[in-house]
Amino acid sequence: MSIKIDRDRCVGCQRCTVVCPGSLIEMQAGKAVMKYPRDCWGCASCVKECPAEAIAFFLGADIGGSGSTMTVSESGDVLHWKIHCWDGTVKVIDVDRKNANQY
Ligand code: SF4
Ligand code: SF4
């Protein structure tokens, strides 16, 4: 499991390098670079922290993703998880942080 960083979207804020518990992401020439993809355990912390939607999380076949990717943006307390499917379609799942732990 790993992530993909879009250099064109990256604004160089370094948040992903700080939040990654394994220090797997580094900055190179002002852009974030995934240095150790094989060591990523898919916690998605960097995906949620990125303010530019520059980090995509791979959804492998083992969790039913068939190579799709997932990004996230936020507005207020609501996280908008976007599933970018292999056929070009995008599905959005909205999660309100205030109600995230109710179950
Ligand atoms: S998903 Fe988690 S472990 Fe993987 S690079 Fe992002 S913060 Fe690090
Ligand atoms: S959090 Fe996003 S915008 Fe900031 S350095 Fe990382 S990839 Fe770039």
Side-chain angles (χ1 to χ4, degrees):
M1 205 171 280
S2 186
I3 55 145
K4 178 174 72 174
I5 300 174
D6 184 336
R7 285 179 62 85
D8 291 334
R9 295 187 72 101
C10 175
V11 296
C13 70
Q14 303 186 34
R15 289 190 200 178
C16 55
T17 65
V18 173
V19 77
C20 177
S23 302
L24 306 178
I25 304 172
E26 293 181 0
M27 300 302 293
Q28 288 182 4
K31 301 286 185 177
V33 175
M34 179 45 153
K35 289 287 290 183
Y36 308 101
R38 294 180 65 172
D39 292 335
C40 172
W41 58 90
C43 71
S45 297
C46 58
V47 181
K48 288 188 282 187
E49 195 67 24
C50 180
E53 243 181 291
I55 306 179
F57 187 79
F58 283 111
L59 300 173
D62 53 331
I63 55 174
S66 300
S68 304
T69 58
M70 181 171 67
T71 60
V72 64
S73 61
E74 63 180 275
S75 51
D77 287 325
V78 180
L79 292 177
H80 309 288
W81 290 95
K82 298 175 189 168
I83 313 297
H84 305 265
C85 301
W86 59 271
D87 61 0
T89 59
V90 178
K91 298 173 184 168
V92 181
I93 302 169
D94 292 334
V95 177
D96 189 331
R97 291 180 203 264
K98 289 182 302 205
N99 301 323
N101 296 319
Q102 66 178 318
Y103 300 110

